Amino acid sequence: MRMAVFGKVALAAGMALSSGAVLADVAMPLAELGAGMYRIQAEVAHTPQTRQLGLMNRKAMPVQHGMVFVFTQDATHCMWMKNTFLPLSVAFVDAQGRIINIEDMQPHSEDNHCAAAPARFALEMNQGWFRERGIKPGDTLRGFDRLPSGS
């Protein structure tokens, strides 16, 4: 289960789960993002249902692929890895596309990994992806201005 600790995501997800709604079949739009010379094909989680689902139950993800979470407001959003099989790195990103901080997350962990300052986005990639490419806090990513707004 993946979610923002702050906001209405937990309430919406709880309502969906208690009503028997199946989140696994939710289709997410794709967006092309950029980090330095690297292109990223990112699934866009911009609704309460898609942010709740995240990368749960996935066994693999191609190297240049990821998931970007679009939040409705700048806040100290947090992520966790319950029901997530992949080791991931998450970059918390501000409204201008600047990386605030990057955290490594372990599969099936319920430890919170939080933005160090108010963030509008979180970009999850395979663990080590940012480090292996020399991408670090303070770097600006491309394409975030074209993402849909969070709902």
Side-chain angles (χ1 to χ4, degrees), residues 21 56 62 69 77 89 109 146 148:
M56 282 177 28
F69 294 78
H77 299 286
S89 294
S109 170
R146 295 187 306 267

mmCIF file of all heavy atoms in Angstrom, residues 21 56 62 69 77 89 109 146 148:
data_model
loop_
_atom_site.group_PDB
_atom_site.id
_atom_site.type_symbol
_atom_site.label_atom_id
_atom_site.label_comp_id
_atom_site.label_asym_id
_atom_site.label_seq_id
_atom_site.Cartn_x
_atom_site.Cartn_y
_atom_site.Cartn_z
ATOM 1 N N ALA A 21 -13.970 -2.131 -3.794
ATOM 2 C CA ALA A 21 -13.429 -1.698 -5.075
ATOM 3 C C ALA A 21 -12.072 -2.344 -5.308
ATOM 4 O O ALA A 21 -11.291 -2.514 -4.394
ATOM 5 C CB ALA A 21 -13.295 -0.174 -5.100
ATOM 6 N N MET A 56 2.402 -1.179 -6.088
ATOM 7 C CA MET A 56 2.092 -2.400 -5.338
ATOM 8 C C MET A 56 2.009 -3.610 -6.264
ATOM 9 O O MET A 56 1.550 -3.500 -7.395
ATOM 10 C CB MET A 56 0.736 -2.259 -4.627
ATOM 11 C CG MET A 56 0.780 -1.444 -3.382
ATOM 12 S SD MET A 56 -0.830 -1.196 -2.565
ATOM 13 C CE MET A 56 -1.793 -2.606 -3.007
ATOM 14 N N PRO A 62 11.067 -1.866 -15.839
ATOM 15 C CA PRO A 62 12.188 -1.563 -16.733
ATOM 16 C C PRO A 62 13.048 -0.412 -16.193
ATOM 17 O O PRO A 62 12.556 0.457 -15.463
ATOM 18 C CB PRO A 62 11.505 -1.167 -18.041
ATOM 19 C CG PRO A 62 10.169 -1.855 -17.988
ATOM 20 C CD PRO A 62 9.783 -1.828 -16.526
ATOM 21 N N PHE A 69 4.098 10.523 -8.558
ATOM 22 C CA PHE A 69 2.918 10.809 -7.761
ATOM 23 C C PHE A 69 2.699 12.313 -7.790
ATOM 24 O O PHE A 69 3.611 13.079 -7.466
ATOM 25 C CB PHE A 69 3.120 10.331 -6.322
ATOM 26 C CG PHE A 69 3.240 8.837 -6.204
ATOM 27 C CD1 PHE A 69 4.423 8.195 -6.536
ATOM 28 C CD2 PHE A 69 2.169 8.077 -5.770
ATOM 29 C CE1 PHE A 69 4.529 6.814 -6.435
ATOM 30 C CE2 PHE A 69 2.267 6.698 -5.672
ATOM 31 C CZ PHE A 69 3.453 6.062 -6.009
ATOM 32 N N HIS A 77 4.948 15.262 2.179
ATOM 33 C CA HIS A 77 4.373 13.961 1.848
ATOM 34 C C HIS A 77 5.332 12.846 2.249
ATOM 35 O O HIS A 77 6.543 13.018 2.228
ATOM 36 C CB HIS A 77 4.080 13.881 0.352
ATOM 37 C CG HIS A 77 3.098 14.895 -0.100
ATOM 38 N ND1 HIS A 77 1.749 14.797 0.167
ATOM 39 C CD2 HIS A 77 3.262 16.052 -0.792
ATOM 40 C CE1 HIS A 77 1.133 15.839 -0.350
ATOM 41 N NE2 HIS A 77 2.026 16.615 -0.934
ATOM 42 N N SER A 89 13.879 3.831 -5.081
ATOM 43 C CA SER A 89 14.346 5.122 -4.596
ATOM 44 C C SER A 89 13.260 6.129 -4.955
ATOM 45 O O SER A 89 12.695 6.078 -6.054
ATOM 46 C CB SER A 89 15.661 5.536 -5.259
ATOM 47 O OG SER A 89 16.704 4.673 -4.893
ATOM 48 N N SER A 109 8.252 -2.744 3.522
ATOM 49 C CA SER A 109 8.494 -1.981 4.743
ATOM 50 C C SER A 109 7.348 -1.005 4.982
ATOM 51 O O SER A 109 6.804 -0.425 4.044
ATOM 52 C CB SER A 109 9.813 -1.209 4.622
ATOM 53 O OG SER A 109 9.944 -0.304 5.698
ATOM 54 N N ARG A 146 4.227 19.647 -17.294
ATOM 55 C CA ARG A 146 3.217 19.093 -18.215
ATOM 56 C C ARG A 146 2.341 18.025 -17.557
ATOM 57 O O ARG A 146 1.472 17.450 -18.207
ATOM 58 C CB ARG A 146 3.910 18.514 -19.439
ATOM 59 C CG ARG A 146 4.624 19.566 -20.283
ATOM 60 C CD ARG A 146 5.163 18.987 -21.581
ATOM 61 N NE ARG A 146 6.022 17.836 -21.390
ATOM 62 C CZ ARG A 146 7.335 17.873 -21.272
ATOM 63 N NH1 ARG A 146 7.959 19.025 -21.292
ATOM 64 N NH2 ARG A 146 8.047 16.760 -21.131
ATOM 65 N N PRO A 148 -0.573 16.303 -15.227
ATOM 66 C CA PRO A 148 -1.916 16.717 -14.799
ATOM 67 C C PRO A 148 -1.886 17.129 -13.335
ATOM 68 O O PRO A 148 -1.014 16.693 -12.581
ATOM 69 C CB PRO A 148 -2.770 15.460 -15.011
ATOM 70 C CG PRO A 148 -1.797 14.334 -14.974
ATOM 71 C CD PRO A 148 -0.495 14.862 -15.500
#
